[in-house]
Amino acid sequence: MAEKSMEEYMERIRVLDELEQQAMGLSRMLTTYTDRLQERLEQRVEIEAGSEAVGLASIKNLEAAVMKSVEQRKVLVEKCQQLDRDMVGVQAVSDQVQEIKHLLDVMEYAKRKS
């Protein structure tokens, strides 16, 4: 009976050792998986931070381009308004040239008839 209980005791110790080895193996695997997960999360954070930086830079560049475009449009509108003001005199001269041309045509016609 003592032999049987000694064998049972040794078997239990062997089973416990086996369970302990399996638990240590699982613990190592879990540590490896969590380390890999942490590395991937850190990489993801770096990628997202880079992406955010690129996004912010793009927004700032777009804002600068829009502001420049707005300023250029303002300058263009001012130049067009100035051109309109300057064309008033040109239109008057054009009208006078047309009138002179018409008078010359009338005079030439009269000269031919006489």
Side-chain angles (χ1 to χ4, degrees), residues 14-54:
R14 187 185 65 74
V15 168
L16 286 175
D17 283 342
E18 225 178 271
L19 286 173
E20 183 179 10
Q21 292 298 321
Q22 289 176 359
M24 288 176 67
L26 287 173
S27 176
R28 283 191 296 272
M29 284 175 55
L30 182 59
T31 299
T32 300
Y33 289 139
T34 55
D35 288 346
R36 286 183 186 164
L37 180 60
Q38 183 176 355
E39 287 174 13
R40 288 182 181 164
L41 287 173
E42 288 171 357
Q43 289 172 347
R44 175 117 185 178
V45 166
E46 287 177 22
I47 290 169
E48 287 181 7
S51 175
E52 185 176 330
V54 168

Side-chain angles (χ1 to χ4, degrees), residues 74-92:
K74 285 180 182 178
V75 168
L76 180 61
V77 167
E78 289 172 7
K79 287 182 179 183
C80 287
Q81 289 171 342
Q82 182 62 42
L83 184 60
D84 280 345
R85 288 188 294 271
D86 293 345
M87 290 302 285
V88 169
V90 171
Q91 186 63 42

